[in-house]
Amino acid sequence: MAQASQQFGEWPLKRLMTEVVGSGHKSAEDMDRDQAREAFQRILAGEPDPTTLGAFWLANRWKRNSPEELAAYTDVMREESVDVAAPDADPVDCGANYDGKHSTAILGVAAGAVAAAAGTPVVVHSGDRVPTQKLDAYKHVLDELGVRTELEPEESADMVDQIGFGYYYQPAFNPGVDDLWERRDMMGVRSFVNTVETLANPADADVHLGSFYHLAFAEKTVDTFRAVQAQDVSRVLMFQGQEGYDDIRPGSTVVAEWGSVRSTDESASGEGSDPRAGEDLADFEIETANYGMDFSGEDLEVEDIAEDSATITEEVLAGDRDDQFADAVAVNAALRMYAREDVDSLEDGLDAARETIESGDAADVLDDLRAF
């Protein structure tokens, strides 16, 4: 893994604050790629004064980062902090918010296990109590399930190849960003680091799955991937997520897709759109009730996120539940299969998810994860 460079250019964060990003949310300008690269190199190296660093993060939050800036940050992170360990399988990279959920169950472990059992390898990654929320994330559900999570990157890659589902632990694969934990915690609000850490892609996957509150964020994410130089993501699937996580929101929900991992130009969308036409982002709206999720987001609320999510995961995979959680897991598994274009439509993915649960293959994935 590359180490943060100690050789910098002419743009310390204080100068960037004074001359570019710090004049106010209306008058501030965007940085060019070189300026943004240097800024994040300095941050990873621990060079800025803490006051200047906090001001820089806050100024970026006010003005909002451009895709070019986010791509530059992501490139520096990948080059100087991320220890990439690519499995032989080409998984779907699930980029959920690292700072966790506060109200509803985390369904991505169960959905990922179902997708893996159906032949779609899945990777998830998170830290441990990441600011600002510092709530339960993927790690804590897996811990409750008795799955080993504090893995080195190569172990995570082996997990993907052996089981079809893999977990990457941020302190092991992205230590430079993990070292920013205290400074991020002192900020009290999210910064652009919360965005770019979800794009770390430690398995070097071709497909990214993520979520958004508003479609504009999906557009920005795709434009960021277009501009990124340190990785090559060829397909993005995003949807309106529950609590900003990679669990789809029940109800009328927007899904956005871009690119393809297929060798033909034939669209995989079951909704009549062609995400590859002109390399534009395509979006369509679905009613989740048409896919078995005929309930509200409140129906997915739990009291203890990690413990209850683990129990739900066990029971759904064992075929012991026939309720809103089982329906939501099946739809989220279908989205992961569709993201990788292993199925031609969400309906096909839903059928495959339900068959996989009924056969016991999904429960076998959880057994294998515990034994790893």
Side-chain angles (χ1 to χ4, degrees), residues 218-264:
E219 295 169 344
K220 180 177 286 190
T221 300
V222 166
D223 287 342
T224 297
F225 276 121
R226 292 180 199 265
V228 162
Q229 298 175 354
Q231 58 174 302
D232 186 15
V233 170
S234 55
R235 177 163 165 81
V236 174
L237 186 79
M238 301 183 72
F239 45 76
Q240 288 177 298
Q242 189 76 7
E243 297 187 64
Y245 223 69
D246 58 2
D247 303 322
I248 196 167
R249 186 187 72 184
S252 297
T253 301
V254 176
V255 178
E257 59 179 326
W258 170 81
S260 177
V261 292
R262 293 185 172 182
S263 59
T264 70

Side-chain angles (χ1 to χ4, degrees), residues 98-101 106 109 126-130 134-147 149 167 169 245 304-310:
Y98 278 26
D99 61 352
K101 277 186 165 189
I106 294 173
V109 175
S126 74
D128 192 356
R129 310 295 177 196
V130 170
K134 295 186 284 187
L135 297 175
D136 292 330
Y138 272 121
K139 180 186 191 302
H140 310 103
V141 179
L142 290 164
D143 286 343
E144 288 286 340
L145 288 166
V147 178
T149 56
Y167 173 74
Y169 183 44
Y245 223 69
D304 186 301
I305 301 298
E307 182 178 344
D308 292 343
S309 297

Side-chain angles (χ1 to χ4, degrees), residues 145-299:
L145 288 166
V147 178
R148 191 160 60 99
T149 56
E150 297 185 12
L151 304 167
E152 292 303 313
E154 291 297 337
E155 293 181 291
S156 299
D158 289 341
M159 180 184 280
V160 180
D161 284 330
Q162 293 179 29
I163 303 170
F165 178 99
Y167 173 74
Y168 286 70
Y169 183 44
Q170 186 186 51
F173 80 82
N174 197 356
V177 169
D178 182 62
D179 286 346
L180 298 174
W181 193 98
E182 183 178 358
R183 296 268 60 84
R184 294 170 68 184
D185 188 39
M186 293 302 292
M187 270 286 294
V189 294
R190 289 178 176 178
S191 71
F192 63 76
V193 181
N194 291 80
T195 298
V196 299
E197 68 188 350
T198 68
L199 309 181
N201 193 9
D204 215 23
D206 287 333
V207 179
H208 175 81
L209 180 140
S211 69
F212 55 86
Y213 282 113
H214 303 291
L215 183 60
F217 183 76
E219 295 169 344
K220 180 177 286 190
T221 300
V222 166
D223 287 342
T224 297
F225 276 121
R226 292 180 199 265
V228 162
Q229 298 175 354
Q231 58 174 302
D232 186 15
V233 170
S234 55
R235 177 163 165 81
V236 174
L237 186 79
M238 301 183 72
F239 45 76
Q240 288 177 298
Q242 189 76 7
E243 297 187 64
Y245 223 69
D246 58 2
D247 303 322
I248 196 167
R249 186 187 72 184
S252 297
T253 301
V254 176
V255 178
E257 59 179 326
W258 170 81
S260 177
V261 292
R262 293 185 172 182
S263 59
T264 70
D265 292 330
E266 181 182 356
S267 174
S269 171
E271 308 296 330
S273 61
D274 182 0
R276 283 152 294 283
E279 291 295 311
D280 290 332
L281 179 74
D283 63 273
F284 53 90
E285 188 170 317
I286 65 171
E287 297 290 338
T288 63
N290 295 336
Y291 300 90
M293 288 180 62
D294 191 10
F295 46 81
S296 70
E298 293 180 354
D299 294 318

